[in-house]
Amino acid sequence: MFTAARAPALFTLLTAFLAAPSVQAISTITRTGRYLYNSTNDRFYIKGVAYQEQGAVVASADNPFGEPSTFIDPLAQGSACTRDLPFLQQLTVNVIRVYSVNSSLNHDACMNLFSQNGIYAIIDLALPTNGSIDRDSPSWSTNLLDQYTNTIDAFSKYDNVLAYNVGNEVVLQNSTDISPYVKAAARDVRAYLQSKGSTALIGYSAINGVADWRGDLASYLACDPAGGNSASTSIDLYGLNDYEWCGDSNFETAYSATNAAFADYNVVAYFSEFGCITSPPRLWTETVSLFGTDMNTAWSGGIAFSYFPATSVQGQFGMVNISSDQTTVTVSDDFTRLAAEYSNITFIDSPTQASTAASSYPSCAAPNTVFVASNTLPQTPNEAACDCVESALECRFTPTTDNTTVIVGTLLDTGCSLLGSSGGSCDPIGGNGQTGVYGALSACDPSIKLSFVMSSYYELNGRTASACSFSGNGTVNTAASSTVSASAIVSSCIANPTAVFTPSAAPTGASGSSGSTTSSGSTSASSATSLIADTNALVGMSLMAVVSVFGAMFTLA
Ligand SMILES: *[C@@H]1O[C@H](CO)[C@@H](O)[C@H](O)[C@H]1NC(C)=O
Ligand SMILES: *[C@@H]1O[C@H](CO)[C@@H](O)[C@H](O)[C@H]1NC(C)=O
Ligand SMILES: *[C@@H]1O[C@H](CO)[C@@H](O)[C@H](O)[C@H]1NC(C)=O
Ligand SMILES: *[C@@H]1O[C@H](CO)[C@@H](O)[C@H](O)[C@H]1NC(C)=O
Ligand SMILES: *[C@@H]1O[C@H](CO)[C@@H](O)[C@H](O)[C@H]1NC(C)=O
Ligand SMILES: *[C@@H]1O[C@H](CO)[C@@H](O)[C@H](O)[C@H]1NC(C)=O
Ligand SMILES: *[C@@H]1O[C@H](CO)[C@@H](O)[C@H](O)[C@H]1NC(C)=O
Ligand SMILES: *[C@@H]1O[C@H](CO)[C@@H](O)[C@H](O)[C@H]1NC(C)=O
C-alpha cells in the first residue's frame, strides 16, 4: 500500500503518516455540461446518504416545516465518523450530505477518514435560524457571505468536498421572489471558489413543488441573466428533494413526469433527498430506476434520507440508532434493504465525457405569474462599505446582549415604523426580488441596517438624545459629524450600490461585524433537514403565509 515499504521502520512510519492520504488520493470530480466525471473520465453518480443528526425542532405555528434551531456538526466528531464508516461502507455510499457545519471546529479526522475511503461530502453552507436567507425578509448580506466563506475556508484543504450548497428549500411556491438572493449567493460563492482555485461544485437543493415553478426555479438557477452563455451566476448541481416513490411503486407512477421535466436541463441534476416513508416498508427499489437507464440521462444519482434518526410529522426517516454512550450503531431493516439495493448498482458509463456537450447557460427567461423573480440580482455584499457606513452613523445600535437575533427584528420593525411616521424611509435597507430593486444597504449586516434606521430617526427628530435611545439599544456616536445625513453617508461609503465583485475572505474571528442577526424573529429559510414530502410541503407552504408577519417593512414596494 505504501510506496516506502522497504525503507527503515521509522522512515516507513513517517512516510506512511505523511503520505497516506495522498497515496490513494480520491479522484477529483468535474462537471462537463450536465454530467459528472471522475479523473479517469468515467461518469460519476452520487450514491449517497444524508449524514446529520437532527437538531432540536421547536414545534410552533412559526415553524411549519419543522426546521431545527440547533445542530451538531457531524464532521467535527472524529470518533463518530470512525464508528460510522463501516456502516457507510456497508451501504456502499460514495457521498454523504451534511446540512450544517461549524467552521470554527476541526474537521480533519472525519474528512480525511472519508477521503481515504472514497467518500465525498456535499456540504450545505447555510445554518439554522439566522444563518440562512430569510424567506420573510430576504437579503444576501455580509453576515451570510462571511459564514459561507468561513465554511469554505475551513473545508478547502480537503480533497473530498464534492459541492457546497448555497441553500436548501429556501424558495417556496409563495416566495419565488426571493430567488435572486439565492442566485446572488451562487454567483459570489462561485467567484470565491474560483479565486481560491477550488474545483468544488456549487449546488442548491430544491423542495419538490408543482412542476411549473419548480422547473422555472431550476432554469433560473442555471441561466445567464446577461445572455452571454456565462457560468458566473449559475449553480453546477441542482438537487431535488424528491419523495415521489413511495413503497412498492414504479418508474411510470413515481418518476416519469419529473424525469421528463428535466430532460433538457443544462447542469447536473440529482435527488438531494429521497426515501418516502408513507407506504412502509421502504424497499429502495427506486434506486434501480434512478441509477438505471430509466433516469440516468437526466440524473446523476441521489442521497437517501437519512442515516441518523430524523423524525417529522410523517414518522421516522432514520436508518440506524446510536446507543446513548455514542459507541454502538444498530441498523434497521430499512438500512439493510438500502445496502442491498445500493450494492446492486452498476454505474452506467454513458455518455462518455468526450461525447458530452460542453456546458452552456441559456439566457434567463422573463418572469411569469408562477415564477416572479427578477433577472436583476442583488449586489455582492461589501463588508468594507458597510463598515464605513456604520462608523460614520450618528446613532448606533449597541446591544447589551450577544443574542441579538430576536431584538434586531423587533427593533427594525419598530424603527421602520417610527421612521415612516417621521417622514423617513426604510427603503435603503430593503430590497425587492420581484422588481429587482435593492437598497444600497440591503447587503449589509442587519445590525448596520438597524444603526441606519436609528440614525435616520435621530436626525429627523432634532438629534435629541432621547431619539437615539430605543429603550437603551441605541448610543450616540460622538465621533460622528452632526451635519452629514445618514443617506449622505450611505452614498459616500457605497459609491456603487449595484457592484458585483469577487468576495475576499471574511475578517478572522468575525462573522458579521457587530453581533449580526436575522432581521425577523419568525421562521427563516432553513439549511436544515427537510422532512417534508411533496404533499406535506404544500400544507407547509400555506402556513408560511400566516407567519409572514414581518415582510412589509423590509420589502420595497
Ligand atoms: C472512476 O469511476 C470508475 C467507475 O466507477 C471506476 O472504475 C474508476 O476506478 C474511477 N476512477 C478513479 C480514478 O477513481
Ligand atoms: C461553533 O463552535 C464554537 C466552539 O465550540 C462555538 O462557540 C460556536 O457557538 C459554534 N457556532 C455555531 C454556529 O454553532
Ligand atoms: C400560497 O400558496 C398557496 C398554495 O398554492 C395558495 O393557496 C395561497 O394563496 C398562497 N398564498 C399567498 C400569500 O400567496
Ligand atoms: C431505534 O429506536 C426507536 C425508538 O426507540 C425504535 O422504535 C426503533 O425500532 C429503533 N431502531 C433500530 C434499528 O433499532
Ligand atoms: C439489481 O440490478 C439489476 C440491474 O439494474 C436490476 O435488474 C435488478 O432488479 C436489481 N436487483 C434488485 C434486487 O433490485
Ligand atoms: C447569528 O446570530 C449569532 C448570535 O447573535 C451571531 O453570533 C452570528 O454571527 C449570526 N450569524 C449570522 C450569519 O448573522
Ligand atoms: C436568544 O434569544 C431567544 C429569544 O429570547 C431565545 O429563544 C434563544 O434561545 C436565545 N439563544 C441563545 C443562544 O441564547
Ligand atoms: C432593546 O430592545 C428590545 C426589543 O425591543 C427590548 O426588549 C429591550 O428592553 C431594549 N433595551 C435593552 C437595554 O436591551
Side-chain angles (χ1 to χ4, degrees), residues 62-193:
D62 276 0
N63 190 13
F65 284 81
E67 292 164 349
S69 52
T70 63
F71 70 95
I72 300 159
D73 179 345
L75 297 175
Q77 324 288 327
S79 55
C81 292
T82 306
R83 174 197 70 202
D84 293 332
L85 178 66
F87 297 92
L88 298 173
Q89 288 175 320
Q90 279 179 50
L91 287 174
T92 70
V93 296
N94 60 7
V95 175
I96 53 172
R97 179 175 173 200
V98 171
Y99 292 81
S100 310
V101 295
N102 182 337
S103 60
S104 60
L105 302 178
N106 186 311
H107 303 94
D108 290 353
C110 289
M111 288 303 285
N112 291 334
L113 180 73
F114 291 148
S115 174
Q116 285 153 25
N117 288 282
I119 297 174
Y120 300 85
I122 295 176
I123 296 171
D124 283 58
L125 294 170
L127 290 178
T129 63
N130 66 333
S132 40
I133 294 169
D134 187 332
R135 286 186 203 105
D136 297 336
S137 177
S139 73
W140 169 238
S141 43
T142 54
N143 52 315
L144 287 174
L145 175 66
D146 285 353
Q147 176 187 300
Y148 282 27
T149 57
N150 282 335
T151 300
I152 290 167
D153 288 349
F155 282 89
S156 60
K157 60 176 180 274
Y158 307 120
D159 57 7
N160 56 332
V161 177
L162 179 64
Y164 295 104
N165 280 342
V166 296
N168 180 60
E169 301 192 354
V170 181
V171 182
L172 305 178
Q173 178 166 13
N174 280 354
S175 62
T176 62
D177 62 328
I178 69 176
S179 308
Y181 299 97
V182 176
K183 195 167 171 68
R187 174 199 64 203
D188 294 339
V189 166
R190 176 176 288 280
Y192 188 67
L193 288 172

Side-chain angles (χ1 to χ4, degrees), residues 202-359:
I202 296 127
Y204 175 78
S205 280
I207 196 166
N208 193 6
V210 288
D212 51 8
W213 75 268
R214 179 189 70 184
D216 290 342
L217 173 63
S219 301
Y220 181 83
L221 292 173
C223 67
D224 177 8
N229 192 25
S230 161
S232 62
T233 67
S234 179
I235 56 168
D236 298 300
L237 190 60
Y238 170 86
L240 182 64
N241 294 338
D242 186 302
Y243 291 91
E244 290 178 288
W245 181 303
C246 300
D248 186 16
S249 191
N250 56 65
F251 171 68
E252 279 307 320
T253 309
Y255 290 155
S256 60
T258 294
N259 189 50
F262 284 84
D264 298 320
Y265 197 42
N266 59 310
V267 300
V268 180
Y270 76 115
F271 285 177
S272 41
E273 287 176 9
F274 70 94
C276 169
I277 57 167
T278 57
S279 306
R282 290 198 283 194
L283 302 173
W284 299 109
T285 42
E286 64 263 51
T287 59
V288 178
S289 268
L290 183 56
F291 292 87
T293 50
D294 283 342
M295 296 175 71
N296 84 304
T297 54
W299 305 90
S300 293
I303 303 280
F305 192 80
S306 148
Y307 179 79
F308 290 110
T311 40
S312 81
V313 286
Q314 290 186 339
Q316 180 58 258
F317 287 81
M319 288 177 246
V320 307
N321 280 340
I322 309 295
S323 62
S324 53
D325 69 358
Q326 301 293 312
T327 60
T328 312
V329 177
T330 312
V331 305
S332 64
D333 295 349
D334 224 15
F335 175 99
T336 311
R337 280 187 298 266
L338 178 63
E341 289 299 331
Y342 263 180
S343 316
N344 183 41
I345 289 167
T346 305
F347 293 158
I348 300 169
D349 187 24
S350 164
T352 62
Q353 190 162 21
S355 68
T356 292
S359 305

Side-chain angles (χ1 to χ4, degrees), residues 2 5 18 44 144 270 302 337 381 426 505:
F2 302 123
L18 293 171
F44 180 82
L144 287 174
Y270 76 115
R337 280 187 298 266
C426 269

